[in-house]
Amino acid sequence: MNRKNDKSQYNKAIRDIERKKTKKIKIGSIAVGGNAPIVVQSMLKTNPENFQETLTQARDLKNAGCELIRIALPHEDTCQILPFLRREIDVPIIGDIHFNHKIALKAMETGIDAIRINPGTINNVRKVREIAKNAKETKTPIRIGINIGSIEKRILKTKGKPDAGSMVESALYSIKLFEDEGWTQLKVSLKASDIFQTIKAYKIFAGVSDYPLHIGITEAGPVFSGAIKSAVGIGILLYEGIGDTIRVSLTGNPVYEVIAAYHILRDLGLRKRGINIISCPTCGRCSTNLKEIVEEFEKDVANIDKHLNVAIMGCEVNGPGEAREADIGIAFGANKAILFSKGDIIRTGIPKEMAKDLLKEEIFNRIS
Ligand code: SF4
């Protein structure tokens, strides 16, 4: 396939993504669902009793572009951090509650932006109703977060096994409990570590309900393999038009979760944020230390949130073509490099050691 066809196929793929229209809710200042952009979420991994360490990680997440931050609240006392976080950081905070519904009530008292409950670990209809009543009174949006590993015993008894169907059943049942109390500021997640179960559950749910969906592959694994697994699972759902908020769950620094989430959204043309680096894998024709240049460049531009496509290419085979197509591009040759901007050559004969700095200069000129 030639380049032109390649591009038109890609553009067609983007046009093919038609987001399923869901109800719009608001979590703090962030709109979720409806026609709002898909929101990037992550979760704090620090001990919530350590205020300073938690705030530092929350700030790192914010700087990486995280738009909703979830925090585990394992017992009532951990709610003490919530007023502190609200004062210090302006990203909406979602409290993650399991087992003890009183923690949810306590968190709502502090004016938290949203609560995530897992009906399977609360496992008691009366307690879920109590949360619903309180959510309505305090106007707190709720995520009903179903996880295949902790489906309510009552549902497992009738459905027999934990699968996509029982996850959906659990979600619909919990939604009904909230609706009965007159509270509909809800979003739903249906997570499994198995991609196929996850996709199936979300597709079934999206066919019968228009509540907004938080999507992700739970317990996806370490940073590298987990990001790939998440990209496959989340990518398929997004391509189907499903998903209003996303989280890439990784065993590692949560900043990587945010970076990976934006890569997925950017590669599907759903959000444009940050510098998209197009670089060749190098081969025996490359006479430049491209790996080092690209790695350093990636670090240098990591905090830029404006979107640009930047090509860094190893030789004249595909270099000039890719560099010309990108917003800004550099193509190395045997001894020198050529710099492109908006498809035009703006400088030739660049000594290799100057190439990265000139590229960065051009980017800063463009975004400032
Ligand atoms: S652009 Fe050149 S150096 Fe890079 S992979 Fe292709 S042929 Fe090799």
Side-chain angles (χ1 to χ4, degrees):
M1 191 182 284
N2 66 32
R3 278 188 63 77
K4 214 168 161 193
N5 282 345
D6 237 353
K7 211 168 176 183
S8 75
Q9 286 292 322
Y10 179 67
N11 289 338
K12 181 175 176 308
I14 291 173
R15 280 199 307 273
D16 281 350
I17 297 181
E18 251 181 58
R19 276 184 69 198
K20 184 185 146 53
K21 192 95 177 163
T22 51
K23 245 169 84 80
K24 191 185 269 185
I25 66 167
K26 256 194 126 195
I27 299 181
S29 56
I30 301 288
V32 169
N35 54 2
I38 296 168
V39 176
V40 171
Q41 184 176 318
S42 184
M43 186 161 181
L44 294 163
K45 301 180 180 186
T46 48
N47 177 353
E49 285 167 18
N50 188 331
F51 286 21
Q52 215 46 54
E53 210 177 273
T54 303
L55 178 62
T56 302
Q57 192 165 76
R59 284 191 174 136
D60 289 347
L61 286 174
K62 181 191 160 143
N63 291 339
C66 185
E67 296 161 311
L68 292 174
I69 295 179
R70 186 152 56 110
I71 181 169
L73 299 169
H75 49 85
E76 279 187 61
D77 284 353
T78 49
C79 295
Q80 283 169 14
I81 195 173
L82 297 173
F84 168 76
L85 280 181
R86 289 202 92 194
R87 209 170 45 240
E88 297 294 328
I89 194 154
D90 59 1
V91 181
I93 304 287
I94 304 172
D96 191 74
I97 318 283
H98 293 272
F99 306 112
N100 181 357
H101 77 298
K102 292 218 167 108
I103 308 170
L105 308 182
K106 180 94 185 171
M108 284 190 254
E109 250 176 58
T110 70
I112 195 164
D113 297 290
I115 295 280
R116 179 266 169 130
I117 60 155
N118 176 343
T121 55
I122 305 265
N123 207 26
N124 181 301
V125 169
R126 181 187 57 79
K127 291 175 181 172
V128 174
R129 282 193 194 279
E130 212 176 316
I131 294 172
K133 247 185 224 138
N134 236 269
K136 189 183 176 195
E137 269 167 38
T138 55
K139 297 193 174 14
T140 311
I142 301 285
R143 163 149 74 101
I144 297 172
I146 309 297
N147 195 303
I148 200 164
S150 51
I151 294 177
E152 295 140 282
K153 291 191 187 82
R154 189 177 39 78
I155 287 180
L156 284 181
K157 248 189 212 162
T158 52
K159 298 296 281 184
K161 60 176 175 71
D163 61 7
S166 46
M167 284 200 282
V168 174
E169 174 116 354
S170 173
L172 294 174
Y173 185 80
S174 298
I175 287 171
K176 172 94 177 42
L177 296 178
F178 278 86
E179 286 177 341
D180 285 351
E181 298 301 329
W183 190 237
T184 56
Q185 292 294 296
L186 308 173
K187 68 171 177 164
V188 171
S189 62
L190 306 146
K191 293 194 185 177
S193 58
D194 177 77
I195 290 177
F196 295 101
Q197 289 286 1
T198 308
I199 291 169
K200 196 170 168 191
Y202 278 108
K203 283 177 86 168
I204 299 171
F205 185 88
V208 296
S209 171
D210 64 356
Y211 279 106
L213 285 166
H214 170 72
I215 63 170
I217 305 297
T218 197
E219 294 123 22
V223 172
F224 186 73
S225 55
I228 293 171
K229 191 174 183 181
S230 298
V232 173
I234 293 173
I236 290 171
L237 283 169
L238 291 174
Y239 187 73
E240 297 272 343
I242 295 170
D244 300 290
T245 62
I246 72 171
R247 182 200 176 190
V248 176
S249 305
L250 301 173
T251 312
N253 187 331
V255 166
Y256 291 124
E257 298 187 356
V258 177
I259 294 169
Y262 277 108
H263 275 285
I264 296 168
L265 291 173
R266 200 164 59 196
D267 290 344
L268 286 169
L270 291 164
R271 291 283 301 265
K272 289 191 166 179
R273 184 186 195 277
I275 304 295
N276 178 33
I277 302 173
I278 300 146
S279 60
C280 80
T282 80
C283 69
R285 286 191 186 86
C286 185
S287 59
T288 306
N289 192 349
L290 202 76
K291 177 179 166 288
E292 198 174 279
I293 292 173
V294 170
E295 281 172 1
E296 281 176 16
F297 177 78
E298 188 176 33
K299 278 189 206 135
D300 293 348
V301 299
N303 289 328
I304 297 177
D305 55 9
K306 294 238 171 69
H307 177 69
L308 283 176
N309 290 316
V310 176
I312 308 176
M313 299 291 293
C315 85
E316 45 282 278
V317 172
N318 290 322
E322 285 290 356
R324 188 172 277 120
E325 292 286 324
D327 294 308
I328 300 171
I330 197 147
F332 288 93
N335 303 308
K336 307 269 178 185
I338 308 172
L339 186 63
F340 292 78
S341 181
K342 295 183 189 164
D344 295 324
I345 293 175
I346 56 166
R347 193 151 166 183
T348 58
I350 303 166
K352 289 185 178 180
E353 60 282 5
M354 286 174 63
K356 184 167 69 75
D357 289 341
L358 279 174
L359 186 63
K360 273 178 17 194
E361 202 179 294
E362 187 56 28
I363 288 167
F364 287 114
N365 285 342
R366 187 77 79 82
I367 63 175
S368 55

